[in-house]
Amino acid sequence: MDATFTAEQDEIRRTLRELLLKRCGPEEVRSAVRTADGYDPGLWEALAQQLGLPGLALPEAYGGVGCTTTELALAAEEMGRALAPSPLLATAVLGAPLVLGLGSADQRAALLPRIASGELTAALVVPGAALTTALGLTGGNRGDWAGGGRAGGVQARRADGGWRLYGQADQVLDGHSADLLVVAAHTGGFARPRTLFFLVRELVRAGATRVRQTSLDETRSQSRIQLRDVEAELLGDGEGADVGGVLARVGDSAAAVLAAEAVGGADRVLERTVEYVKQREQFGRAIGSFQAVKHRLADLYVQVQGARSAAYYAAWATVEGRERVGGLALAQALEALRVCASEAVQLHGGIGFTWEHEAHLYFKRAAGDELLFGPVHRLRAYAAQEARLFGGGEVAV
């Protein structure tokens, strides 16, 4: 494994950081999350048109840049540093790869170029709190997580030569502002249960009800989607499609990207804390000069660097087709972000507890991400289970 970055990768990071420093400071973040979309459309347009971020990991044949998960992870790291609210995660990390992996040639040709240009945003609709299970991060995704029968979720039924969707999902990332819904739905009833994916376009005409929810982390918008006899289009042909396998691969790459994003947030909040302890004084000296504070910050630095290495390796492994370690990297990164954000609140003293300070934004991102994509102990437990570490059998090496 070559751990050095190419000139192109360094340029992606540098250019994106410069743009975010200019247009996505703490005040801009607070203003953006209070808009109807939950993000700044002008910034999203700049990210799409100037940097090609939505299509960074899409093939050039579909208008993308043709890069890999590694470049997308590096971009996510910079987005995480700024806590930039955007539909990048829902669109480019979750939605587009499913269209690419499961969609027909016509569907890919119609949708992916528009996604790559930033014209079209997408949202992955998974019922209940089953997102991490669906992505194969905290459990096997071959079960009935999409609902079925009396289990609730979303149901798909054939009607008039097409498909109609019924059901509700309560934790849909950026679902209130998305132009396209990629919906996981249960088909076949009791006799032949199966989970397939469907596309819902022209949402106003289709009759889908979307309500933005109040969430712990304002920078990560969530919505409730209600589907009542909504017309939908089957993603792909549905025959012989390895839905679970594609979902697991998308989940592994998404976990690597999310890990890098969390590392960016942890690194930034640690930087701000180091700056602050050099200025805040007690007993006539900067608190950063006390040995106990130095030890705490040194421990945080080691934890962030370890999480960064894990995130980079996970991104590289998805590109090289190696073992799936995205879940483990995500666990380490989420833990690093949580610990760094908690220490930041403590070391900033009274100001760290106030709404005016940005430390609470990182703390909420850490807590919100664990609720959505964790918790950490479940990510690690499932990775250990898959590796058969504690099953009494052979140990994976």
Side-chain angles (χ1 to χ4, degrees), residues 133-148:
T133 302
L135 295 175
L137 298 177
T138 58
N141 65 1
R142 304 285 180 172
D144 59 354
W145 50 265

Side-chain angles (χ1 to χ4, degrees), residues 14 25 38 60 110 159 212 268 281 322:
R14 183 192 64 79
E60 293 182 29
R212 186 179 178 187
R268 180 55 180 160
E281 292 189 355
R322 301 296 184 92

Side-chain angles (χ1 to χ4, degrees), residues 294-348:
K294 291 180 180 179
H295 286 173
R296 291 170 72 175
L297 294 174
D299 288 342
L300 295 180
Y301 177 80
V302 171
Q303 194 162 2
V304 170
Q305 294 306 314
R308 175 176 280 121
S309 296
Y312 288 171
Y313 178 79
W316 174 82
T318 62
V319 177
E320 297 296 321
R322 301 296 184 92
E323 69 276 17
R324 295 178 181 174
V325 294
L328 276 176
L330 180 58
Q332 191 166 351
L334 290 179
E335 185 173 50
L337 177 57
R338 171 170 47 82
V339 173
C340 285
S342 300
E343 290 286 353
V345 171
Q346 291 290 328
L347 291 173
H348 275 82

Side-chain angles (χ1 to χ4, degrees), residues 373-395:
F373 307 112
V376 166
H377 71 271
R378 288 189 61 196
L379 290 166
R380 287 178 171 150
Y382 183 64
Q385 175 187 322
E386 289 296 285
R388 294 182 295 171
L389 289 180
F390 308 111
E394 64 180 270
V395 178

